[in-house]
Short mmCIF file of all heavy atoms in Angstrom, two decimals:
data_model
loop_
_atom_site.label_atom_id
_atom_site.label_comp_id
_atom_site.label_asym_id
_atom_site.label_seq_id
_atom_site.Cartn_x
_atom_site.Cartn_y
_atom_site.Cartn_z
N PHE A 318 261.35 -12.66 69.14
CA PHE A 318 260.38 -11.57 69.19
C PHE A 318 258.96 -12.03 69.49
O PHE A 318 258.01 -11.24 69.51
CB PHE A 318 260.40 -10.80 67.84
CG PHE A 318 260.20 -11.68 66.63
CD1 PHE A 318 258.93 -12.09 66.24
CD2 PHE A 318 261.30 -12.07 65.87
CE1 PHE A 318 258.78 -12.89 65.10
CE2 PHE A 318 261.15 -12.86 64.75
CZ PHE A 318 259.90 -13.29 64.34
N SER A 319 258.75 -13.33 69.73
CA SER A 319 257.41 -13.84 70.00
C SER A 319 257.45 -15.02 70.97
O SER A 319 258.44 -15.73 71.03
CB SER A 319 256.72 -14.28 68.69
OG SER A 319 257.41 -15.42 68.12
N VAL A 320 256.34 -15.15 71.72
CA VAL A 320 256.22 -16.26 72.64
C VAL A 320 255.01 -17.09 72.25
O VAL A 320 253.90 -16.56 72.14
CB VAL A 320 256.04 -15.75 74.09
CG1 VAL A 320 255.80 -16.91 75.03
CG2 VAL A 320 257.27 -14.98 74.58
N PRO A 321 255.19 -18.36 71.94
CA PRO A 321 254.05 -19.19 71.52
C PRO A 321 253.03 -19.38 72.63
O PRO A 321 253.39 -19.61 73.80
CB PRO A 321 254.67 -20.50 71.15
CG PRO A 321 255.98 -20.56 71.88
CD PRO A 321 256.44 -19.15 72.01
N TYR A 322 251.80 -19.24 72.30
CA TYR A 322 250.67 -19.39 73.26
C TYR A 322 249.96 -20.70 73.07
O TYR A 322 249.68 -21.39 74.05
CB TYR A 322 249.71 -18.22 73.10
CG TYR A 322 248.51 -18.23 74.01
CD1 TYR A 322 248.67 -18.11 75.39
CD2 TYR A 322 247.22 -18.36 73.51
CE1 TYR A 322 247.58 -18.08 76.25
CE2 TYR A 322 246.11 -18.36 74.38
CZ TYR A 322 246.33 -18.23 75.75
OH TYR A 322 245.19 -18.21 76.59
N THR A 323 249.59 -21.04 71.86
CA THR A 323 248.99 -22.34 71.51
C THR A 323 249.61 -22.82 70.23
O THR A 323 250.15 -22.05 69.45
CB THR A 323 247.46 -22.26 71.37
OG1 THR A 323 247.14 -21.27 70.36
CG2 THR A 323 246.73 -21.83 72.64
N TRP A 324 249.51 -24.15 70.04
CA TRP A 324 250.01 -24.70 68.76
C TRP A 324 249.29 -25.98 68.40
O TRP A 324 248.69 -26.65 69.27
CB TRP A 324 251.56 -24.93 68.80
CG TRP A 324 252.07 -25.83 69.89
CD1 TRP A 324 251.40 -26.49 70.86
CD2 TRP A 324 253.45 -26.11 70.10
NE1 TRP A 324 252.26 -27.20 71.66
CE2 TRP A 324 253.56 -27.01 71.22
CE3 TRP A 324 254.64 -25.79 69.45
CZ2 TRP A 324 254.74 -27.53 71.72
CZ3 TRP A 324 255.84 -26.27 69.94
CH2 TRP A 324 255.86 -27.14 71.04
N GLY A 325 249.31 -26.33 67.13
CA GLY A 325 248.60 -27.53 66.70
C GLY A 325 248.90 -27.82 65.23
O GLY A 325 249.82 -27.25 64.60
N THR A 326 248.09 -28.75 64.68
CA THR A 326 248.34 -29.17 63.32
C THR A 326 247.00 -29.39 62.61
O THR A 326 245.95 -29.16 63.18
CB THR A 326 249.22 -30.43 63.24
OG1 THR A 326 249.59 -30.70 61.89
CG2 THR A 326 248.44 -31.67 63.81
N THR A 327 247.05 -29.83 61.35
CA THR A 327 245.88 -30.06 60.52
C THR A 327 245.90 -31.50 60.03
O THR A 327 246.97 -32.05 59.74
CB THR A 327 245.86 -29.08 59.32
OG1 THR A 327 246.08 -27.78 59.79
CG2 THR A 327 244.56 -29.18 58.56
N GLY A 328 244.73 -32.15 59.97
CA GLY A 328 244.68 -33.49 59.49
C GLY A 328 243.27 -33.85 59.01
O GLY A 328 242.52 -32.99 58.57
N ILE A 329 242.96 -35.12 59.07
CA ILE A 329 241.68 -35.66 58.65
C ILE A 329 240.86 -36.09 59.88
O ILE A 329 241.40 -36.89 60.67
CB ILE A 329 241.81 -36.80 57.66
CG1 ILE A 329 242.55 -36.36 56.39
CG2 ILE A 329 240.44 -37.34 57.25
CD1 ILE A 329 242.83 -37.49 55.40
N CYS A 330 239.70 -35.55 60.01
CA CYS A 330 238.79 -35.93 61.09
C CYS A 330 237.68 -36.78 60.44
O CYS A 330 237.16 -36.40 59.41
CB CYS A 330 238.22 -34.64 61.69
SG CYS A 330 237.21 -34.83 63.18
N TYR A 331 237.43 -37.93 61.03
CA TYR A 331 236.51 -38.85 60.33
C TYR A 331 235.64 -39.70 61.26
O TYR A 331 235.90 -39.84 62.45
CB TYR A 331 237.34 -39.79 59.42
CG TYR A 331 238.28 -40.73 60.14
CD1 TYR A 331 237.90 -42.07 60.37
CD2 TYR A 331 239.52 -40.31 60.62
CE1 TYR A 331 238.73 -42.93 61.05
CE2 TYR A 331 240.36 -41.18 61.30
CZ TYR A 331 239.98 -42.49 61.53
OH TYR A 331 240.78 -43.36 62.18
N ARG A 332 234.58 -40.23 60.63
CA ARG A 332 233.62 -41.10 61.39
C ARG A 332 234.09 -42.56 61.21
O ARG A 332 234.09 -43.11 60.12
CB ARG A 332 232.21 -40.92 60.81
CG ARG A 332 231.50 -39.69 61.25
CD ARG A 332 230.99 -39.77 62.66
NE ARG A 332 229.96 -40.82 62.80
CZ ARG A 332 228.65 -40.58 62.78
NH1 ARG A 332 228.22 -39.34 62.59
NH2 ARG A 332 227.79 -41.57 62.91
N THR A 333 234.50 -43.16 62.32
CA THR A 333 234.98 -44.55 62.25
C THR A 333 233.88 -45.52 61.85
O THR A 333 234.17 -46.59 61.27
CB THR A 333 235.56 -44.97 63.62
OG1 THR A 333 234.53 -44.88 64.62
CG2 THR A 333 236.73 -44.08 63.98
N ASP A 334 232.62 -45.17 62.15
CA ASP A 334 231.50 -46.08 61.86
C ASP A 334 230.93 -45.85 60.47
O ASP A 334 230.07 -46.67 60.02
CB ASP A 334 230.37 -45.90 62.88
CG ASP A 334 229.87 -44.45 62.96
OD1 ASP A 334 230.67 -43.52 62.70
OD2 ASP A 334 228.70 -44.25 63.30
N LEU A 335 231.40 -44.85 59.75
CA LEU A 335 230.82 -44.54 58.42
C LEU A 335 231.83 -44.62 57.29
O LEU A 335 231.50 -44.35 56.13
CB LEU A 335 230.17 -43.15 58.47
CG LEU A 335 229.00 -42.98 59.41
CD1 LEU A 335 228.41 -41.54 59.36
CD2 LEU A 335 227.87 -43.98 59.12
N VAL A 336 233.07 -44.96 57.59
CA VAL A 336 234.06 -45.22 56.55
C VAL A 336 234.52 -46.67 56.64
O VAL A 336 234.72 -47.17 57.74
CB VAL A 336 235.27 -44.22 56.64
CG1 VAL A 336 234.83 -42.82 56.40
CG2 VAL A 336 235.97 -44.37 57.98
N LYS A 337 234.68 -47.31 55.55
CA LYS A 337 235.05 -48.74 55.53
C LYS A 337 236.49 -48.92 55.91
O LYS A 337 236.91 -49.88 56.58
CB LYS A 337 234.77 -49.38 54.16
CG LYS A 337 233.27 -49.46 53.86
CD LYS A 337 233.05 -50.10 52.48
CE LYS A 337 231.58 -50.20 52.14
NZ LYS A 337 231.32 -50.81 50.83
N THR A 338 237.34 -47.96 55.45
CA THR A 338 238.78 -48.02 55.76
C THR A 338 239.19 -46.68 56.31
O THR A 338 238.90 -45.62 55.73
CB THR A 338 239.59 -48.32 54.51
OG1 THR A 338 239.13 -49.55 53.93
CG2 THR A 338 241.08 -48.44 54.87
N ALA A 339 239.87 -46.69 57.47
CA ALA A 339 240.32 -45.45 58.05
C ALA A 339 241.25 -44.70 57.14
O ALA A 339 242.18 -45.30 56.55
CB ALA A 339 241.02 -45.75 59.38
N PRO A 340 241.08 -43.38 56.92
CA PRO A 340 241.97 -42.62 56.08
C PRO A 340 243.36 -42.54 56.66
O PRO A 340 243.55 -42.45 57.87
CB PRO A 340 241.31 -41.25 56.02
CG PRO A 340 240.52 -41.14 57.30
CD PRO A 340 240.02 -42.52 57.56
N ALA A 341 244.36 -42.61 55.76
CA ALA A 341 245.76 -42.55 56.20
C ALA A 341 246.57 -41.59 55.33
O ALA A 341 247.71 -41.28 55.69
CB ALA A 341 246.40 -43.92 56.14
N SER A 342 245.97 -41.13 54.28
CA SER A 342 246.66 -40.28 53.30
C SER A 342 245.78 -39.10 52.92
O SER A 342 244.52 -39.20 52.90
CB SER A 342 247.00 -41.09 52.05
OG SER A 342 247.37 -40.29 50.96
N TRP A 343 246.41 -38.01 52.50
CA TRP A 343 245.64 -36.85 51.98
C TRP A 343 244.89 -37.29 50.74
O TRP A 343 243.82 -36.72 50.43
CB TRP A 343 246.57 -35.71 51.67
CG TRP A 343 247.05 -34.97 52.89
CD1 TRP A 343 248.35 -34.87 53.34
CD2 TRP A 343 246.25 -34.19 53.81
NE1 TRP A 343 248.41 -34.10 54.46
CE2 TRP A 343 247.16 -33.69 54.79
CE3 TRP A 343 244.93 -33.90 53.90
CZ2 TRP A 343 246.69 -32.90 55.84
CZ3 TRP A 343 244.47 -33.12 54.97
CH2 TRP A 343 245.33 -32.61 55.90
N ASN A 344 245.40 -38.28 50.04
CA ASN A 344 244.69 -38.76 48.84
C ASN A 344 243.34 -39.39 49.18
O ASN A 344 242.43 -39.47 48.33
CB ASN A 344 245.55 -39.76 48.05
CG ASN A 344 246.68 -39.02 47.30
OD1 ASN A 344 246.43 -38.09 46.58
ND2 ASN A 344 247.93 -39.43 47.54
N ASP A 345 243.18 -39.90 50.42
CA ASP A 345 241.90 -40.44 50.81
C ASP A 345 240.84 -39.39 50.88
O ASP A 345 239.65 -39.65 50.75
CB ASP A 345 242.03 -41.13 52.18
CG ASP A 345 242.95 -42.37 52.14
OD1 ASP A 345 242.96 -43.02 51.10
OD2 ASP A 345 243.64 -42.64 53.12
N LEU A 346 241.28 -38.14 51.11
CA LEU A 346 240.34 -37.00 51.16
C LEU A 346 240.17 -36.44 49.74
O LEU A 346 239.05 -36.10 49.35
CB LEU A 346 240.96 -35.91 52.06
CG LEU A 346 240.03 -34.78 52.49
CD1 LEU A 346 239.06 -35.26 53.57
CD2 LEU A 346 240.85 -33.61 53.06
N LEU A 347 241.24 -36.39 49.00
CA LEU A 347 241.15 -35.80 47.64
C LEU A 347 240.47 -36.73 46.64
O LEU A 347 239.84 -36.27 45.68
CB LEU A 347 242.57 -35.52 47.13
CG LEU A 347 243.31 -34.39 47.91
CD1 LEU A 347 244.81 -34.52 47.68
CD2 LEU A 347 242.80 -33.02 47.51
N ASN A 348 240.63 -38.03 46.84
CA ASN A 348 240.00 -39.00 45.97
C ASN A 348 239.34 -40.08 46.83
O ASN A 348 239.80 -41.23 46.92
CB ASN A 348 241.07 -39.66 45.07
CG ASN A 348 240.46 -40.55 44.02
OD1 ASN A 348 239.29 -40.39 43.63
ND2 ASN A 348 241.23 -41.55 43.57
N PRO A 349 238.23 -39.74 47.48
CA PRO A 349 237.61 -40.62 48.41
C PRO A 349 236.97 -41.86 47.75
O PRO A 349 236.65 -41.82 46.60
CB PRO A 349 236.50 -39.70 49.04
CG PRO A 349 236.17 -38.73 48.00
CD PRO A 349 237.47 -38.44 47.29
N PRO A 350 236.80 -42.93 48.54
CA PRO A 350 236.09 -44.09 47.99
C PRO A 350 234.68 -43.77 47.61
O PRO A 350 234.13 -42.76 48.07
CB PRO A 350 236.21 -45.11 49.15
CG PRO A 350 236.39 -44.28 50.37
CD PRO A 350 237.19 -43.08 49.97
N ALA A 351 234.08 -44.60 46.82
CA ALA A 351 232.76 -44.35 46.24
C ALA A 351 231.73 -44.05 47.33
O ALA A 351 230.88 -43.16 47.16
CB ALA A 351 232.27 -45.54 45.42
N ASP A 352 231.79 -44.73 48.47
CA ASP A 352 230.79 -44.55 49.50
C ASP A 352 230.98 -43.24 50.29
O ASP A 352 230.15 -42.85 51.12
CB ASP A 352 230.76 -45.70 50.50
CG ASP A 352 232.10 -45.95 51.17
OD1 ASP A 352 233.11 -45.47 50.66
OD2 ASP A 352 232.11 -46.55 52.25
N ALA A 353 232.12 -42.56 50.03
CA ALA A 353 232.37 -41.26 50.71
C ALA A 353 232.23 -40.06 49.77
O ALA A 353 232.34 -38.91 50.25
CB ALA A 353 233.72 -41.27 51.37
N VAL A 354 232.01 -40.30 48.52
CA VAL A 354 231.92 -39.22 47.51
C VAL A 354 230.72 -38.29 47.96
O VAL A 354 229.65 -38.82 48.29
CB VAL A 354 231.70 -39.76 46.13
CG1 VAL A 354 231.31 -38.61 45.15
CG2 VAL A 354 232.95 -40.44 45.64
N LYS A 355 230.97 -36.99 47.91
CA LYS A 355 229.99 -35.99 48.30
C LYS A 355 229.72 -36.01 49.80
O LYS A 355 228.73 -35.42 50.29
CB LYS A 355 228.70 -36.15 47.54
CG LYS A 355 228.77 -35.84 46.06
CD LYS A 355 229.06 -34.35 45.81
CE LYS A 355 229.03 -33.98 44.36
NZ LYS A 355 229.34 -32.55 44.10
N LYS A 356 230.62 -36.67 50.55
CA LYS A 356 230.51 -36.69 52.04
C LYS A 356 231.82 -36.24 52.67
O LYS A 356 232.17 -36.62 53.79
CB LYS A 356 230.10 -38.08 52.50
CG LYS A 356 228.74 -38.50 52.05
CD LYS A 356 228.38 -39.87 52.59
CE LYS A 356 227.00 -40.37 52.12
NZ LYS A 356 226.67 -41.72 52.65
N VAL A 357 232.58 -35.46 51.92
CA VAL A 357 233.88 -35.00 52.32
C VAL A 357 233.95 -33.49 52.25
O VAL A 357 233.37 -32.90 51.32
CB VAL A 357 234.96 -35.61 51.38
CG1 VAL A 357 236.34 -34.99 51.66
CG2 VAL A 357 235.01 -37.11 51.55
N THR A 358 234.60 -32.82 53.20
CA THR A 358 234.76 -31.40 53.15
C THR A 358 236.25 -31.04 53.20
O THR A 358 237.05 -31.75 53.83
CB THR A 358 233.99 -30.65 54.25
OG1 THR A 358 234.67 -30.86 55.53
CG2 THR A 358 232.55 -31.11 54.33
N MET A 359 236.60 -29.91 52.61
CA MET A 359 237.93 -29.31 52.72
C MET A 359 237.76 -27.84 53.05
O MET A 359 236.69 -27.28 52.93
CB MET A 359 238.71 -29.54 51.42
CG MET A 359 239.19 -30.94 51.22
SD MET A 359 239.83 -31.27 49.58
CE MET A 359 240.85 -29.86 49.29
N MET A 360 238.84 -27.23 53.47
CA MET A 360 238.77 -25.87 53.99
C MET A 360 238.77 -24.84 52.87
O MET A 360 239.23 -25.06 51.75
CB MET A 360 239.94 -25.63 54.94
CG MET A 360 239.83 -26.46 56.19
SD MET A 360 241.21 -26.11 57.33
CE MET A 360 240.79 -27.24 58.63
N THR A 361 238.30 -23.62 53.23
CA THR A 361 238.21 -22.54 52.28
C THR A 361 239.41 -21.60 52.40
O THR A 361 239.76 -20.88 51.49
CB THR A 361 236.91 -21.72 52.48
OG1 THR A 361 236.91 -21.17 53.77
CG2 THR A 361 235.73 -22.63 52.30
N THR A 362 239.99 -21.53 53.64
CA THR A 362 241.08 -20.55 53.86
C THR A 362 242.28 -20.92 53.05
O THR A 362 242.70 -22.09 52.97
CB THR A 362 241.43 -20.55 55.35
OG1 THR A 362 240.24 -20.43 56.12
CG2 THR A 362 242.35 -19.40 55.67
N GLU A 363 242.89 -19.94 52.41
CA GLU A 363 243.86 -20.15 51.32
C GLU A 363 244.91 -21.21 51.57
O GLU A 363 245.04 -22.17 50.82
CB GLU A 363 244.51 -18.85 51.00
CG GLU A 363 243.55 -17.80 50.42
CD GLU A 363 244.09 -16.37 50.41
OE1 GLU A 363 245.31 -16.22 50.70
OE2 GLU A 363 243.34 -15.48 50.09
N ARG A 364 245.71 -21.05 52.61
CA ARG A 364 246.86 -21.93 52.82
C ARG A 364 246.32 -23.36 53.17
O ARG A 364 247.03 -24.33 52.91
CB ARG A 364 247.75 -21.41 53.92
CG ARG A 364 248.36 -20.05 53.70
CD ARG A 364 249.47 -20.06 52.63
NE ARG A 364 250.68 -20.67 53.08
CZ ARG A 364 251.67 -20.03 53.69
NH1 ARG A 364 251.60 -18.77 53.95
NH2 ARG A 364 252.78 -20.71 54.04
N TRP A 365 245.18 -23.43 53.75
CA TRP A 365 244.61 -24.73 54.19
C TRP A 365 243.80 -25.40 53.09
O TRP A 365 243.68 -26.58 53.03
CB TRP A 365 243.82 -24.55 55.45
CG TRP A 365 244.77 -24.43 56.61
CD1 TRP A 365 245.27 -25.42 57.41
CD2 TRP A 365 245.45 -23.23 57.02
NE1 TRP A 365 246.18 -24.92 58.29
CE2 TRP A 365 246.32 -23.54 58.07
CE3 TRP A 365 245.39 -21.90 56.61
CZ2 TRP A 365 247.09 -22.64 58.72
CZ3 TRP A 365 246.18 -21.01 57.23
CH2 TRP A 365 247.05 -21.35 58.31
N LEU A 366 243.21 -24.58 52.18
CA LEU A 366 242.58 -25.17 51.02
C LEU A 366 243.60 -25.90 50.18
O LEU A 366 243.36 -27.00 49.65
CB LEU A 366 241.91 -24.06 50.20
CG LEU A 366 241.13 -24.49 48.94
CD1 LEU A 366 239.98 -23.56 48.69
CD2 LEU A 366 242.00 -24.58 47.70
N ALA A 367 244.82 -25.33 50.07
CA ALA A 367 245.85 -25.93 49.27
C ALA A 367 246.56 -27.07 49.95
O ALA A 367 247.19 -27.93 49.26
CB ALA A 367 246.86 -24.87 48.87
N LEU A 368 246.54 -27.10 51.31
CA LEU A 368 247.37 -28.05 52.09
C LEU A 368 247.25 -29.51 51.66
O LEU A 368 248.28 -30.17 51.44
CB LEU A 368 247.06 -27.86 53.55
CG LEU A 368 247.77 -28.83 54.51
CD1 LEU A 368 249.29 -28.54 54.51
CD2 LEU A 368 247.21 -28.70 55.93
N PRO A 369 246.04 -30.07 51.51
CA PRO A 369 245.96 -31.51 51.18
C PRO A 369 246.69 -31.86 49.87
O PRO A 369 247.40 -32.85 49.80
CB PRO A 369 244.47 -31.79 51.09
CG PRO A 369 243.85 -30.77 51.99
CD PRO A 369 244.71 -29.54 51.78
N ALA A 370 246.45 -31.05 48.83
CA ALA A 370 247.10 -31.32 47.54
C ALA A 370 248.60 -31.04 47.65
O ALA A 370 249.41 -31.78 47.04
CB ALA A 370 246.47 -30.41 46.44
N ILE A 371 249.01 -30.01 48.33
CA ILE A 371 250.43 -29.72 48.50
C ILE A 371 251.16 -30.89 49.10
O ILE A 371 252.20 -31.36 48.60
CB ILE A 371 250.65 -28.47 49.30
CG1 ILE A 371 250.37 -27.21 48.51
CG2 ILE A 371 252.08 -28.40 49.90
CD1 ILE A 371 250.47 -25.91 49.28
N LYS A 372 250.63 -31.43 50.18
CA LYS A 372 251.27 -32.54 50.89
C LYS A 372 251.16 -33.85 50.10
O LYS A 372 252.08 -34.65 50.08
CB LYS A 372 250.72 -32.66 52.29
CG LYS A 372 251.24 -31.66 53.26
CD LYS A 372 252.77 -31.76 53.34
CE LYS A 372 253.39 -30.78 54.25
NZ LYS A 372 254.88 -30.86 54.27
N ALA A 373 250.02 -34.05 49.41
CA ALA A 373 249.87 -35.27 48.62
C ALA A 373 250.89 -35.31 47.50
O ALA A 373 251.34 -36.37 47.08
CB ALA A 373 248.45 -35.32 48.05
N LEU A 374 251.27 -34.13 47.00
CA LEU A 374 252.24 -34.06 45.92
C LEU A 374 253.68 -34.01 46.44
O LEU A 374 254.62 -33.92 45.63
CB LEU A 374 251.95 -32.82 45.05
CG LEU A 374 250.66 -32.92 44.21
CD1 LEU A 374 250.28 -31.55 43.69
CD2 LEU A 374 250.84 -33.92 43.08
N GLY A 375 253.85 -33.94 47.76
CA GLY A 375 255.17 -33.96 48.33
C GLY A 375 255.89 -32.58 48.35
O GLY A 375 257.11 -32.52 48.46
N TYR A 376 255.07 -31.52 48.31
CA TYR A 376 255.63 -30.16 48.33
C TYR A 376 255.63 -29.58 49.72
O TYR A 376 255.02 -30.08 50.64
CB TYR A 376 254.86 -29.26 47.39
CG TYR A 376 254.75 -29.75 45.95
CD1 TYR A 376 253.67 -29.41 45.18
CD2 TYR A 376 255.79 -30.49 45.38
CE1 TYR A 376 253.58 -29.88 43.84
CE2 TYR A 376 255.71 -30.94 44.06
CZ TYR A 376 254.60 -30.61 43.31
OH TYR A 376 254.50 -31.05 41.99
N SER A 377 256.33 -28.45 49.84
CA SER A 377 256.32 -27.72 51.10
C SER A 377 255.07 -26.84 51.25
O SER A 377 254.54 -26.30 50.24
CB SER A 377 257.55 -26.79 51.12
OG SER A 377 257.46 -25.83 52.15
N VAL A 378 254.59 -26.70 52.51
CA VAL A 378 253.46 -25.82 52.74
C VAL A 378 253.76 -24.38 52.41
O VAL A 378 252.88 -23.57 52.23
CB VAL A 378 252.93 -25.91 54.19
CG1 VAL A 378 252.41 -27.30 54.50
CG2 VAL A 378 254.00 -25.47 55.18
N ASN A 379 255.07 -24.07 52.32
CA ASN A 379 255.48 -22.71 52.02
C ASN A 379 256.01 -22.55 50.58
O ASN A 379 256.76 -21.62 50.29
CB ASN A 379 256.58 -22.30 53.01
CG ASN A 379 256.06 -22.29 54.43
OD1 ASN A 379 255.06 -21.69 54.77
ND2 ASN A 379 256.74 -23.02 55.31
N THR A 380 255.57 -23.48 49.71
CA THR A 380 256.05 -23.41 48.33
C THR A 380 255.63 -22.09 47.66
O THR A 380 254.54 -21.52 47.90
CB THR A 380 255.52 -24.58 47.46
OG1 THR A 380 256.03 -24.47 46.17
CG2 THR A 380 253.98 -24.56 47.43
N LYS A 381 256.52 -21.57 46.84
CA LYS A 381 256.23 -20.40 46.03
C LYS A 381 256.37 -20.70 44.55
O LYS A 381 256.25 -19.81 43.71
CB LYS A 381 257.16 -19.22 46.45
CG LYS A 381 257.00 -18.77 47.88
CD LYS A 381 258.00 -17.72 48.27
CE LYS A 381 259.35 -18.34 48.51
NZ LYS A 381 260.36 -17.34 49.01
N SER A 382 256.64 -21.97 44.23
CA SER A 382 256.90 -22.36 42.86
C SER A 382 255.65 -22.33 42.01
O SER A 382 254.62 -22.96 42.36
CB SER A 382 257.48 -23.77 42.85
OG SER A 382 257.40 -24.37 41.55
N ASP A 383 255.67 -21.61 40.93
CA ASP A 383 254.54 -21.51 40.05
C ASP A 383 254.20 -22.87 39.45
O ASP A 383 253.00 -23.24 39.30
CB ASP A 383 254.82 -20.53 38.92
CG ASP A 383 254.89 -19.08 39.42
OD1 ASP A 383 254.25 -18.77 40.46
OD2 ASP A 383 255.58 -18.26 38.81
N GLU A 384 255.22 -23.65 39.11
CA GLU A 384 255.02 -24.95 38.56
C GLU A 384 254.34 -25.91 39.56
O GLU A 384 253.39 -26.60 39.22
CB GLU A 384 256.38 -25.56 38.12
CG GLU A 384 256.25 -26.96 37.50
CD GLU A 384 257.58 -27.52 37.11
OE1 GLU A 384 258.60 -26.81 37.21
OE2 GLU A 384 257.63 -28.72 36.71
N GLU A 385 254.80 -25.88 40.80
CA GLU A 385 254.18 -26.75 41.82
C GLU A 385 252.76 -26.29 42.12
O GLU A 385 251.86 -27.12 42.25
CB GLU A 385 255.04 -26.67 43.09
CG GLU A 385 256.39 -27.40 42.96
CD GLU A 385 257.19 -27.41 44.22
OE1 GLU A 385 256.79 -26.73 45.22
OE2 GLU A 385 258.23 -28.06 44.25
N LEU A 386 252.55 -24.98 42.21
CA LEU A 386 251.18 -24.52 42.51
C LEU A 386 250.24 -24.79 41.36
O LEU A 386 249.02 -24.99 41.61
CB LEU A 386 251.22 -23.00 42.83
CG LEU A 386 251.88 -22.64 44.19
CD1 LEU A 386 252.02 -21.16 44.36
CD2 LEU A 386 251.07 -23.26 45.33
#
Side-chain angles (χ1 to χ4, degrees):
F318 53 82
S319 64
V320 175
Y322 180 65
T323 56
W324 58 359
T326 189
T327 310
I329 300 175
C330 187
Y331 65 99
R332 284 282 297 263
T333 59
D334 57 330
L335 297 179
V336 295
K337 293 181 179 179
T338 303
S342 165
W343 285 115
N344 286 307
D345 294 328
L346 194 75
L347 294 160
N348 186 25
D352 59 339
V354 170
K355 292 293 186 181
K356 296 181 179 179
V357 172
T358 72
M359 286 169 45
M360 294 181 180
T361 63
T362 312
E363 295 167 5
R364 300 288 287 272
W365 284 266
L366 182 149
L368 177 66
I371 282 177
K372 283 301 179 183
L374 290 166
Y376 302 150
S377 166
V378 296
N379 299 306
T380 182
K381 297 176 285 185
S382 164
D383 292 333
E384 181 181 354
E385 290 182 353
L386 289 173

